[in-house]
């Protein structure tokens, strides 16, 4: 289901074809319809099942923001126990991929190179989220 | 020895020992600028010795706080090559350890396991600041009346994002 998708997204450009195939197997993918709730506000994302999500097709609304094809969301849960700050709802029929900490740990052992590539992708997304929150605080200050 | 001890504070013991050979020491005299707000800064630093003031420009320059030994700075620019969020100026003579963005490619190639752990550690640092700031911002936004302390709180958040404790 996920085959062929990752290669299309610029964030995976630095990842080799072999590593892409490894990552494709590490992610789970699910077909979704509008209204499907990916996670709810207040939900505890903790432990080995805490996951991040990648929109392969379609769109997901989280608060005021819409995530579309190629975008990652809920990334922080992969790195830290958090309470989901908002509900994530599918707004366009599509396909959502997810990977949890357990899968990430397995990847670290079996495919360290693919794992380090994914760590870079995660870190870069957090950096982008970081800049976004900084801008929001700056705007609030005026 | 001191370098390692401070690196451990920033990165954890095991990672610090392995990553140290990939980093270079740098001295920064008091009064000099380490990072300039808005300027691309492709380098990550760990403060070993000294102190830096975190400043934000605006109608009036504001000091957001200070950072000292054990602090990690520049991780955003290191990861994405983008601009620094604040200006960092040495208030005392500083000693830092630095690693450039270009090193990451080499690290990925030559020591992928170490690269992955290093990146994971950076993610953890960012995630904790991000989580705290997101919650605090939501709380501030949720306030109906704006207390006089609101601006001060927002500035404190900016400082926290930059690594001020």
């Amino acid at each position: 289901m996920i085959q062929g998708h990752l290669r299309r997204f610029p964030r995976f450009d630095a990842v080799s074809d072999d590593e892409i195939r490894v990552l494709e197997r590490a992610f789970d993918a699910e077909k979704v319809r509008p209204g499907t709730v990916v996670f709810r506000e207040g939900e505890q994302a903790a432990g080995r099942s805490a996951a991040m999500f990648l929109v392969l097709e379609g769109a997901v609304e989280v608060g005021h923001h819409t995530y579309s094809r190629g975008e990652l969301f809920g990334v922080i849960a992969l790195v830290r126990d958090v309470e989901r700050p908002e509900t994530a709802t599918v707004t366009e029929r599509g396909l959502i991929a997810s990977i949890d900490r357990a899968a990430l740990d397995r990847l670290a052992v079996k495919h360290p190179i693919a794992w380090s590539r994914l760590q870079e992708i995660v870190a870069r997304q957090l950096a982008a989220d970081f800049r976004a929150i900084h801008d929001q605080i700056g705007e609030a200050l005026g | 020895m001191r370098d390692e001890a401070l690196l451990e504070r920033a990165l954890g013991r095991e990672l610090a020992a392995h990553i140290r050979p990939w980093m270079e020491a740098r001295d920064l005299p008091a009064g000099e600028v380490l990072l300039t707000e808005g300027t691309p800064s492709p380098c990550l630093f760990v403060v070993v010795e000294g102190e830096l003031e975190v400043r934000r420009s605006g109608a009036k320059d504001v000091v957001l706080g200070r950072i000292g030994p054990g602090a990690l700075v520049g991780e955003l620019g290191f990861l994405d090559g983008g601009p620094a969020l604040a200006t960092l100026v040495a208030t005392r003579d500083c000693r830092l350890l630095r690693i450039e963005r270009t090193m990451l490619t080499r690290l990925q190639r030559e020591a992928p396991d170490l690269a992955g752990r290093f990146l994971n550690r950076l993610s953890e640092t960012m995630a904790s600041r991000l989580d705290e700031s997101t919650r605090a911002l939501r709380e501030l936004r949720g306030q109906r009346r704006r207390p006089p302390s609101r601006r001060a709180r927002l500035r404190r958040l900016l400082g926290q994002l930059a690594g001020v404790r």
Side-chain angles (χ1 to χ4, degrees):
Chain A
M1 244 200 310
I2 196 174
Q3 206 168 21
H5 277 92
L6 300 188
R7 182 45 80 208
R8 290 180 349 208
F9 305 143
R11 69 175 75 242
F12 289 91
D13 279 352
V15 184
S16 75
D17 290 345
D18 283 345
E19 291 155 12
I20 285 265
R21 277 191 282 276
V22 167
L23 292 180
E24 281 171 353
R25 287 196 301 272
F27 278 90
D28 283 327
E30 197 181 313
K31 285 189 181 160
V32 292
R33 275 186 288 197
T36 305
V37 171
V38 179
F39 53 75
R40 282 185 202 285
E41 178 180 338
E43 206 174 279
Q44 292 298 324
R48 296 170 63 66
S49 63
M52 78 168 182
F53 303 89
L54 171 64
V55 181
L56 300 180
E57 299 281 1
V60 177
E61 197 174 82
V62 184
H64 297 298
H65 191 96
T66 299
Y67 292 91
S68 48
R69 217 167 73 178
E71 294 191 289
L72 285 167
F73 65 95
V75 179
I76 200 172
L78 209 54
V79 173
R80 180 183 170 82
D81 289 352
V82 289
E83 200 180 276
R84 299 288 189 187
E86 281 160 326
T87 297
T89 312
V90 175
T91 51
E92 254 175 62
R93 184 185 191 87
L95 192 62
I96 308 291
S98 66
I99 186 164
D100 63 18
R101 290 186 211 169
L104 201 60
D105 290 347
R106 284 192 296 271
L107 206 58
V109 171
K110 291 193 173 157
H111 302 281
I113 297 177
W115 172 75
S116 79
R117 292 290 182 203
L118 192 58
Q119 289 289 359
E120 190 172 354
I121 288 166
V122 166
R124 291 219 171 129
Q125 182 58 51
L126 286 171
D129 292 345
F130 206 95
R131 288 191 187 276
I133 201 89
H134 178 269
D135 288 350
Q136 285 172 43
I137 294 171
E139 270 166 36
L141 260 174
Chain B
M1 259 320 273
R2 187 207 259 106
D3 286 359
E4 266 84 37
L6 271 309
L7 203 52
E8 278 180 24
R9 216 192 275 187
L11 300 177
R13 169 172 293 182
E14 216 215 310
L15 190 55
H18 287 101
I19 205 91
R20 175 67 185 89
W22 295 81
M23 302 185 84
E24 285 172 348
R26 179 179 165 185
D27 289 325
L28 187 76
E32 292 214 0
V33 175
L34 180 67
L35 296 176
T36 304
E37 184 180 333
T39 300
S41 134
C43 228
L44 180 145
F45 300 92
V46 173
V47 181
V48 171
E49 213 176 291
E51 188 188 72
L52 296 138
E53 202 169 72
V54 182
R55 295 180 192 166
R56 174 186 160 81
S57 62
K60 199 176 66 175
D61 281 3
V62 176
V63 174
L64 298 178
R66 291 173 180 218
I67 58 179
L72 187 76
V73 294
E75 65 275 18
L76 296 188
F78 174 78
L79 289 166
D80 64 13
L85 297 184
T87 295
L88 263 57
V89 183
T91 53
R92 295 184 214 154
D93 290 348
C94 289
R95 181 175 162 83
L96 307 128
L97 290 174
R98 66 191 281 256
I99 181 166
E100 279 191 71
R101 183 168 157 65
T102 50
M103 264 311 204
L104 190 53
T105 314
R106 232 188 104 189
L107 201 59
Q108 289 275 33
R109 198 174 58 232
E110 294 179 26
D113 185 62
L114 182 58
R117 285 186 292 140
F118 181 51
L119 289 160
N120 183 243
R121 183 69 187 206
L122 295 187
S123 289
E124 282 175 2
T125 305
M126 285 187 292
S128 90
R129 295 184 204 170
L130 189 56
D131 188 30
E132 282 160 23
S133 301
T134 306
R135 286 163 194 273
L137 187 60
R138 272 164 70 83
E139 197 191 299
L140 282 168
R141 275 178 173 163
Q143 285 168 350
R144 283 243 184 86
R145 276 173 300 149
R146 294 186 169 194
S149 58
R150 188 172 186 266
R151 285 185 73 79
R153 264 207 86 185
L154 285 167
R155 274 198 292 269
R156 207 156 43 240
L157 280 183
L158 283 183
Q160 277 164 21
L161 282 181
V164 173
R165 287 203 191 121

